[in-house]
Amino acid sequence: MSLQPASARAASRRVARREPPPLERGTAVRETTELMAVVLDSYPGYVALLDVEGNIFATNNGWTELHREYGLESIACAALGDNYVEMLQKAAESGHEHASCILDALNEIQGDSSRTRVERTCGSSDQKLLAFVAAPLHRPMGGIVVTAVDVTSWATSARALQNAQRDLMKAAQLAVAGELIGGITHDLRQPLTSLQMNLETVDFLLRQPSASPSSTSGVMADAIVDAQRVRDSIQVLQDLVTRREPHLVSVALGSVVAEVVRLLQSEALARHVVLERSVFGAELEITADPTMLHEAVLSLLLDAIENSDTNPGAARVSIATRAVDGAKVALEVSYQRRQRSSNNEGWGLSVVRSVADAHGAFISIEETADLSVVVTTTWPTERDRFAYSM
Amino acid sequence: MLPSDSLIAVVDDDPPVVRAVARALTTHGYRVRTFASGREYLAESNSLHPTCVLADIRMPDLDGLAMSDAARAGGSDVPTVFMTATGDISTVVEAMKAGASDLLAKPFTVRALLSAIDAAVNRAHRADVDHRQVAALWRALAQLTPREAEVAALVASGRLNKQVAAALGITEKTVKVHRARAMRKLHAESLAELVRAVDRLLAEPRRRQVHVDGVDVASPPTLDTMVRALTRASATKA
């Protein structure tokens, strides 16, 4: 046990660890200020520290350069202790565009006391975009640290990416529409061709002197079949755009889902979205209109793909089917949304809701704070077909 | 040429369309054979020898264009009229590249159908006449000896007997004998007729085969002898 006084023991420890001797109070303050200046200057953005009244008590070189670049010389040269907000107000009153812009950003920050960080993009005539961030200074006398980051190139790239994504989406939609129209056109032109041929043949035969009803009856019978084919094709078209009474049969939900997933794989791939299907347990059957069910599943998945976050690793749409208490089957589509939706329901989900209503099914949408979305439709496995209504 | 002289092969995977088109053609006097797929047609095309083919472009497994390509690769030059229910520009371009005689966009009228078929049949008829002429000339040419073929080629190219003799290293008298024999075998009664016959023979020197009445007729070796003689004579002159 040592008999040395505490100060002597501390001195001996410093010698042992080769620590520099303690600084005088004035020297320590000066060194802290210099250290803070170095730290602030090392930050690539623009930083100013303000007290509770808006007086500047520290800036970095970037901040000074920023204000020089914008022609705010007076603010750039502002001495420590000058009120930043007042100087901005004066500059704004004298018609300085950039000062107004920065002031607006600060007012927005100050006006929102519930948030500790506020970001605002400030545009200017030379197309430079700045993002302002404010955070409280955690110290007894309070204050605020204001940083500005030049996000011009980032915003330009983001806008270009957004435009490219929109163009891609439009092109994909056009391609899908084109394929659909091509298919319908083909299905209409085939029976119209045979109908035209048969009617003209009948006409030709009837003009012959030896024309007999028996020679034309077979051709007319074919013409009637052709007309029926045309009507069927038109009915398919009508069913696509109009509501109709569901034609209920037993449908294997998993097969419908598999078929739609297969159909949409290329669409998902084009948008860098992984589309995956999970089946829990045996094949589940529900009583539904197959066409309407296809339409609902297609709309569900298209809606999810279109709204998915396309960041690497996040772009994943999953569809799963599972039995619920024996009398119902749940169809769940989950994905990570790109941005928070205003009302959770686009055109695609309206179609799903309409089909679900017609089948006595239910639709629920859960969206968590981290934008994870789960759309669940619950379908009855069997139902009195007379109970359905549109 | 009567429609009944022509056999039309109709290829479409849609049975009602095949039946209606075939009936329209039959009503107007054509003989028709129908096929439900491109493969079905290809399996029989060599023995069938249709005058022209009427084929749908969009068919499962083997579409009309691929079927036409396969038939051409097999030596067939039967004119093909394509039908399409899509009718986009790329389809038209592909059909033209495939050597389409015509392209009918569904639905079409019987008049449009008959017009396209008539044009294709006429084309096939012209090709048939050409093939018969070429086959007859080849058969005649096959009777010539190599020396007679050389003399005929050089004489028809405008060279004098003594120039031919010098080129071939024989006497002028021998040239005259060979020339007379060649003219007789080629059924040429005058020098002008000999020139016409040789010109026709040498118009397509790379053609090796023509199809007449279901029989393939091959070009005789003396055709190559003629070509070589002319090439040698031109080289010597140069």
Side-chain angles (χ1 to χ4, degrees):
Chain A
M1 187 166 181
S2 173
L3 296 173
Q4 284 179 306
S7 58
R9 283 202 299 274
S12 65
R13 274 202 302 273
R14 277 199 301 274
V15 169
R17 282 184 282 168
R18 297 190 182 280
E19 283 182 3
L23 296 170
E24 292 294 321
R25 183 174 172 76
T27 312
V29 170
R30 194 169 57 251
E31 283 214 355
T32 306
T33 308
E34 284 170 5
L35 189 63
M36 186 172 73
V38 170
V39 170
L40 286 178
D41 285 341
S42 69
Y43 181 68
Y46 320 115
V47 188
L49 304 182
L50 313 179
D51 66 15
V52 285
E53 289 168 354
N55 297 318
I56 300 170
F57 68 90
T59 61
N60 72 344
N61 283 339
W63 183 271
T64 311
E65 290 302 320
L66 171 75
H67 287 81
R68 281 211 182 99
E69 192 181 329
Y70 278 138
L72 299 168
E73 291 294 337
S74 56
I75 299 173
C77 302
L80 295 181
D82 286 347
N83 190 295
Y84 182 58
V85 178
E86 280 177 12
M87 295 185 82
L88 277 175
Q89 278 169 342
K90 280 180 192 164
E93 281 163 12
S94 64
H96 204 295
E97 185 193 344
H98 300 300
S100 307
C101 178
I102 299 167
L103 195 59
D104 285 347
L106 287 178
N107 283 337
E108 191 178 326
I109 291 163
Q110 289 178 342
D112 194 344
S113 57
S114 64
R115 284 181 284 178
T116 55
R117 288 175 69 88
V118 179
E119 291 194 19
R120 188 179 187 281
T121 303
C122 175
S124 63
S125 56
D126 58 358
Q127 299 298 307
K128 195 157 191 167
L129 297 173
L130 297 174
F132 285 88
V133 181
L137 277 174
H138 296 293
R139 57 176 199 158
M141 55 281 256
I144 189 168
V145 54
V146 178
T147 63
V149 181
D150 184 347
V151 292
T152 312
S153 58
W154 173 85
T156 308
S157 305
R159 203 180 303 123
L161 182 66
Q162 209 170 17
N163 288 342
Q165 281 177 332
R166 196 173 51 238
D167 290 348
L168 184 68
M169 202 175 286
K170 199 172 177 180
Q173 283 168 344
L174 281 175
V176 169
E179 272 182 37
L180 186 68
I181 290 167
I184 292 167
T185 307
H186 182 267
D187 287 355
L188 274 172
R189 285 183 171 181
Q190 288 293 99
L192 279 174
T193 304
S194 43
L195 184 61
Q196 175 99 28
M197 292 291 107
N198 286 326
L199 291 179
E200 286 197 49
T201 301
V202 168
D203 181 54
F204 179 82
L205 290 172
L206 288 175
R207 286 170 195 273
Q208 303 305 306
S210 58
S212 68
S214 60
S215 64
T216 55
S217 63
V219 191
M220 283 306 292
D222 278 356
I224 290 167
V225 173
D226 296 332
Q228 181 60 49
R229 285 177 74 196
V230 174
R231 270 202 300 277
D232 290 347
S233 296
I234 291 170
Q235 186 62 52
V236 170
L237 257 178
Q238 267 187 325
D239 291 349
L240 278 174
V241 292
T242 58
R243 301 170 70 141
R244 64 182 174 88
E245 205 64 32
H247 174 66
L248 300 171
V249 291
S250 183
V251 184
L253 185 58
S255 303
V256 172
V257 169
E259 203 174 309
V260 175
V261 166
R262 199 164 47 246
L263 183 74
L264 289 179
Q265 279 299 358
S266 57
E267 171 83 2
L269 198 66
R271 297 181 189 209
H272 306 291
V273 174
V274 175
L275 184 56
E276 58 186 15
R277 183 174 78 97
S278 311
V279 182
F280 301 107
E283 175 70 289
L284 302 166
E285 293 208 342
I286 60 172
T287 306
D289 182 310
T291 309
M292 291 171 83
L293 187 62
H294 269 91
E295 195 183 347
V297 177
L298 188 72
S299 299
L300 264 176
L301 286 176
L302 269 177
D303 186 74
I305 290 170
E306 282 179 4
N307 291 303
S308 271
D309 188 346
T310 48
N311 287 328
R316 185 175 296 274
V317 172
S318 306
I319 183 162
T321 51
R322 60 181 168 82
V324 182
D325 70 29
K328 287 175 185 150
V329 172
L331 178 69
E332 286 178 354
V333 174
S334 49
Y335 62 99
Q336 191 78 23
R337 196 183 274 282
R338 191 169 53 241
Q339 58 189 23
R340 190 167 292 281
S341 67
S342 51
N343 60 0
N344 277 341
E345 191 161 319
W347 182 82
L349 285 185
S350 305
V351 172
V352 179
R353 191 177 293 282
S354 159
V355 173
D357 286 348
H359 287 77
F362 299 98
I363 178 169
S364 68
I365 304 163
E366 290 172 38
E367 186 170 334
T368 59
D370 66 346
L371 302 182
S372 292
V373 180
V374 180
V375 182
T376 308
T377 49
T378 311
W379 305 78
T381 51
E382 207 168 332
R383 229 183 107 116
D384 177 5
R385 64 186 57 209
F386 298 107
Y388 290 83
S389 63
M390 291 293 290
Chain B
M1 191 176 180
L2 292 171
S4 57
D5 295 333
S6 307
L7 175 63
I8 315 299
V10 179
V11 191
D12 197 319
D13 63 309
D14 191 327
V17 172
V18 171
R19 196 163 55 245
V21 169
R23 186 185 280 139
L25 289 172
T26 311
T27 307
H28 286 86
Y30 287 100
R31 288 184 296 128
V32 177
R33 274 292 303 274
T34 59
F35 300 91
S37 72
R39 291 201 188 285
E40 204 178 290
Y41 166 73
L42 287 176
E44 286 194 45
S45 63
N46 283 337
S47 58
L48 189 69
H49 304 300
T51 314
C52 90
V53 180
L54 177 65
D56 189 27
I57 287 184
R58 192 160 110 171
M59 288 188 286
D61 189 18
L62 186 73
D63 66 30
L65 299 173
M67 181 201 82
S68 177
D69 286 345
R72 280 171 181 278
S76 167
D77 58 355
V78 176
T80 305
V81 175
F82 287 109
M83 301 180 281
T84 175
T86 51
D88 50 34
I89 291 170
S90 62
T91 306
V92 176
V93 171
E94 289 301 315
M96 291 300 131
K97 277 185 184 171
S101 172
D102 209 337
L103 179 69
L104 293 169
K106 290 177 179 177
F108 44 80
T109 60
V110 170
R111 176 184 280 189
L113 171 69
L114 294 178
S115 168
I117 293 294
D118 283 349
V121 165
N122 285 335
R123 190 171 153 179
H125 179 64
R126 283 196 302 274
D128 185 58
V129 169
D130 174 69
H131 290 178
R132 285 176 191 280
Q133 285 176 350
V134 170
L137 278 171
W138 279 356
R139 285 191 188 109
L141 184 61
Q143 306 299 314
L144 271 65
T145 63
R147 186 60 89 192
E148 287 166 357
E150 286 173 334
V151 170
L154 294 174
V155 168
S157 71
R159 287 172 174 81
L160 300 172
N161 286 344
K162 63 180 176 186
Q163 287 175 313
V164 175
L168 297 176
I170 55 176
T171 64
E172 197 176 340
K173 193 176 175 183
T174 310
V175 169
K176 283 180 184 172
V177 173
H178 286 312
R179 174 178 160 168
R181 284 179 184 164
M183 284 179 70
R184 193 173 63 248
K185 287 177 181 175
L186 289 173
H187 312 295
E189 293 182 358
S190 65
L191 179 62
E193 283 187 18
L194 176 69
V195 171
R196 260 202 303 276
V198 173
D199 277 354
R200 183 73 187 85
L201 282 165
L202 296 174
E204 292 171 276
R206 287 183 183 174
R207 186 190 272 192
R208 285 285 172 263
Q209 191 174 296
V210 289
H211 194 80
V212 177
D213 294 334
V215 178
D216 290 330
V217 180
S219 63
T222 36
L223 183 63
D224 293 333
T225 308
M226 276 183 155
V227 174
R228 279 198 301 273
L230 284 170
T231 311
R232 263 200 314 272
S234 301
T236 310
K237 194 177 177 183

